[in-house]
């Protein structure tokens, strides 16, 4: 099925290429032979490339829309075409073809370095620069260790598998959680993607530095959980991490690095609300009938002011302050009074 589709695409391409060769600059056409020529000896790379983003880099409707909106500037063509000539603004083929990466005709250059990709994956999409910043360990993972250069797909099944070859322990931790079960990918937290603004010349982001700043960490795209009061715990969403600090296993983490399961959060609250915790332990804050009632049974940790909870839990009756109670005091006064009166009476006798 795939093979058949590949063949018909090939035929179409052959016609397109013949037209390009006929119409193209005769001098350049001599050097550049076009992908169909390469395919006569290299069928496998051809079949991979033909459905790739590189093949359609010029005809891609999204590119065409932006390109035409800006009045079709030549500056776009150096990366979206093959054999672009800056001098006269001409090009040999539309899209990124074999010869853009392997050199024209019989050159058959084999450059496996990320610098080859850097020719284009920089500027509006600064992937190469981000990758350079990703730390010495990631520099061992070059572009083609994670991406198939011909299909432009990932080599692994999923983005997460791409990371797990080196970060097995993180994968194990995530797999056990609701995030793992729901298929949340490492990349969804670690790779921050924004489109560039071509009009203003502002580059986008492709997340290849893998590290997060506060604006990049975004729990809210998936969790609609605005914090009140506890929003003071960190800049933006880093506030979430001051409690959900063991983020991969989704456990809670204390300031002293102790890890608690989410169901057992009293010590988490205690580290910041010591006075309330003490009174809770003494039974004067919390449920007297259930002294083990955790703080979160009455306080939503994300919106902790009790008055904001629509259905208030059983709130304990205000207990009298420690010390003599009113009936006790009254009784005491009565007894002392009676005794004193009796003594005075006895004395008078
Ligand atoms: C007439 C057949 C033929 C054509 C046409 C052809 N090649 Fe090759 N190519 C070869 C052979 C043979 C090798 C050597 C294979 C080997 O060493 O395993 C080769 C090797 C290569 C290599 C690997 C070089 C290396 O150092 O291992 C690349 C890349 C390559 N060709 C790209 C191209 C491109 C791009 C085109 C089209 C512009 C092309 N070839 C056209 C036959 C051809
Ligand atoms: C320095 C090389 C370079 C230049 C110059 C360049 N692009 Fe691109 N462009 C790329 C790369 C690389 C991608 C793919 C990036 C990705 O998906 O992360 C891309 C992707 C795009 C996309 C997204 C296509 C899609 O399907 O997602 C659009 C739209 C686009 N470019 C428009 C333009 C326009 C308009 C210009 C001229 C103002 C331009 N590009 C100039 C390298 C370049
Ligand atoms: C975006 C750049 C790029 C394009 C476009 C491209 N290649 Fe490659 N190609 C590479 C890189 C990089 C390698 C080496 C990958 C590695 O070994 O890490 C490679 C490897 C090869 C090899 C060596 C054997 C193999 O399959 O690994 C051949 C042959 C080849 N390409 C042919 C082609 C042909 C034919 C086309 C067009 C149909 C093409 N390439 C398009 C970048 C490209
Ligand atoms: C001549 C410029 C050029 C070179 C060199 C180049 N690319 Fe690209 N690449 C592009 C453009 C342009 C696109 C966007 C195509 C589109 O979707 O419109 C792209 C798309 C991609 C995509 C898919 C992005 C998407 O949104 O679908 C991947 C992955 C990719 N390139 C990887 C590589 C790798 C790896 C290398 C180096 C081996 C490389 N590219 C070399 C220009 C280039
Ligand atoms: C450690 C693995 C890894 C390395 C190294 C790596 N990438 Fe990626 N890349 C990814 C992952 C994961 C994605 C996200 C794919 C997704 O979410 O679908 C991605 C996405 C991309 C995309 C956008 C694809 C799309 O579908 O939008 C481009 C383009 C790209 N990478 C190019 C490169 C280039 C160029 C290099 C080398 C400078 C590189 N990558 C290095 C793992 C890697
Ligand atoms: C080739 C192996 C390799 C691959 C593939 C890889 N990493 Fe790493 N990564 C490392 C090593 C080694 C370190 C440094 C030791 C550590 O912190 O665990 C590291 C560190 C990190 C860090 C911490 C960086 C810092 O500055 O604190 C993050 C975040 C990270 N990787 C995310 C990812 C993500 C996300 C992926 C997949 C897209 C990925 N890594 C793929 C090897 C790899
Ligand atoms: C829900 C979002 C999320 C997911 C999913 C996620 N991470 Fe993280 N990861 C983070 C955050 C947030 C930090 C930073 C923690 C900090 O700064 O205290 C981090 C830190 C890291 C670090 C560096 C610190 C450390 O713990 O060693 C690595 C490496 C890492 N993650 C790898 C991965 C890998 C691999 C995956 C996928 C299996 C993954 N992460 C999935 C949010 C996530
Ligand atoms: C890509 C989407 C996505 C992102 C980003 C994300 N989550 Fe989740 N999260 C989910 C899904 C899906 C679930 C499981 C369904 C549910 O409980 O809502 C979940 C569940 C959870 C749970 C509850 C697990 C359970 O056992 O009930 C916690 C806690 C959580 N996420 C915290 C975070 C934090 C903190 C961040 C930011 C660092 C974050 N998530 C980022 C999608 C995401
Ligand atoms: C003050 C500490 C604290 C902060 C800050 C915090 N959480 Fe929580 N979160 C908890 C505790 C404790 C639980 C467990 C509650 C329970 O068991 O009833 C929890 C549970 C959750 C759950 C799963 C249970 C549910 O309510 O659906 C999600 C999802 C979640 N938090 C997301 C977030 C996100 C996203 C942020 C940041 C916007 C955040 N949390 C900030 C302490 C906190
Ligand atoms: C890392 C420290 C920290 C942790 C952990 C923490 N809190 Fe807080 N909490 C604060 C801060 C700071 C405020 C804001 C006080 C203010 O606005 O005056 C606050 C506010 C509150 C308020 C509202 C107080 C008021 O004056 O309106 C309640 C109730 C509360 N937290 C309960 C909890 C509960 C329950 C937990 C455990 C799930 C918890 N907190 C965990 C630091 C923390
Ligand atoms: C049985 C329900 C219940 C439990 C359990 C509980 N609280 Fe409260 N808490 C309340 C109510 C109701 C208020 C508001 C009345 C008040 O100010 O005394 C309150 C008030 C607070 C306040 C002050 C908020 C304000 O508006 O002034 C803090 C801080 C607090 N609790 C923290 C905690 C912590 C920490 C724990 C666990 C150690 C905890 N609470 C356990 C019901 C509870």
């Amino acid at each position: 099925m795939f093979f058949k589709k590949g063949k018909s695409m090939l035929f179409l391409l052959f016609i397109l290429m013949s037209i390009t060769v006929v119409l193209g600059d005769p001098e350049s056409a001599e050097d550049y032979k076009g992908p169909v020529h390469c395919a006569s000896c290299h069928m496998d790379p051809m079949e991979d490339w033909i459905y790739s983003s590189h093949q359609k880099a010029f005809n891609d409707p999204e590119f065409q829309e932006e390109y035409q909106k800006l009045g079709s500037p030549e500056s776009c063509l150096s990366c979206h075409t093959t054999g672009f000539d800056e001098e006269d603004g001409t090009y040999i083929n539309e899209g990124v073809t074999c010869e853009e990466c392997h050199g024209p005709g019989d050159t058959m250059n084999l450059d496996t370095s990320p610098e080859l990709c850097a020719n284009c994956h920089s500027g509006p999409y600064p992937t190469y620069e981000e990758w350079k910043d990703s730390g010495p360990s990631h520099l061992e993972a070059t572009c083609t260790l994670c991406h198939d250069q011909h299909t432009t797909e990932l080599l692994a099944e999923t983005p997460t598998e791409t990371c797990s070859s080196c970060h097995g322990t993180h994968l194990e931790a995530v797999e056990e959680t609701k995030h793992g079960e729901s298929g949340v990918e490492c990349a969804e937290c670690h790779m921050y993607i924004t489109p560039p603004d071509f009009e203003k010349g502002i580059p986008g982001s492709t997340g290849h530095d893998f590290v997060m700043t506060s604006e990049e960490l975004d729990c809210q795209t998936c969790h609609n959980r605005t914090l009140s009061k506890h929003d003071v715990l960190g800049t933006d969403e880093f506030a979430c991490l001051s409690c959900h600090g063991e983020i991969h296993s989704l456990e809670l983490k204390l300031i002293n690095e102790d890890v608690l399961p989410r169901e057992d959060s009293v010590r988490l609250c205690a580290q910041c609300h010591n006075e309330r915790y003490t009174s809770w332990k003494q039974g004067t804050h919390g449920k007297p009938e259930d002294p083990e009632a955790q703080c979160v049974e009455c306080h939503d940790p994300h919106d902790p002011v009790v008055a904001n909870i629509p259905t208030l839990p059983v709130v304990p009756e205000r207990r009298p302050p420690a010390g003599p109670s009113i009936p006790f005091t009254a009784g005491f006064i009565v007894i002392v009074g009676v005794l004193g009166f009796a003594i005075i009476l006895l004395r008078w006798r």
Side-chain angles (χ1 to χ4, degrees), residues 151-299:
T151 60
T152 59
E153 304 278 327
L154 287 175
L155 285 166
E157 287 272 302
T158 62
T160 292
E161 272 179 45
T162 302
C163 318
S164 57
S165 56
C166 299
H167 293 290
T169 46
H170 292 89
L171 180 70
E172 271 170 40
V174 174
E175 256 175 355
E176 306 272 297
T177 66
K178 280 269 164 65
H179 279 163
E181 282 170 26
S182 317
V184 176
E185 306 272 1
C186 316
E188 283 175 285
C189 291
H190 283 283
M191 296 180 76
Y192 180 65
I193 297 171
T194 54
D197 185 333
F198 291 106
E199 247 166 290
K200 297 203 180 105
I202 301 168
S205 150
T206 72
H208 280 71
D209 51 6
F210 307 126
V211 288
M212 280 166 286
T213 65
S214 62
E215 66 172 20
E216 291 177 8
L217 176 68
D218 195 358
C219 315
Q220 305 296 40
T221 44
C222 307
H223 295 286
N224 192 8
R225 209 167 299 270
T226 16
L227 299 178
S228 77
K229 295 287 180 187
H230 284 148
D231 55 347
V232 298
L233 296 181
T235 39
D236 303 324
E237 303 215 20
F238 269 70
C240 310
L241 297 185
S242 54
C243 296
H244 297 284
E246 200 63 23
I247 188 64
H248 299 114
S249 60
L250 285 181
E251 287 167 305
L252 304 168
K253 191 152 146 194
L254 303 187
I255 294 160
N256 69 5
E257 304 274 300
D258 274 6
V259 174
L260 305 176
R262 243 179 314 125
E263 313 73 67
D264 191 13
S265 55
V266 175
R267 273 177 64 209
L268 172 79
C269 316
Q271 67 181 347
C272 301
H273 298 286
N274 208 298
E275 271 177 44
R276 288 285 168 171
Y277 173 68
T278 311
S279 54
W280 173 82
K281 274 199 95 162
Q282 291 165 346
T284 50
H285 181 93
K287 287 180 183 163
E289 76 278 12
D290 178 10
E292 295 297 305
Q294 296 209 5
C295 321
V296 292
E297 286 178 37
C298 302
H299 299 280

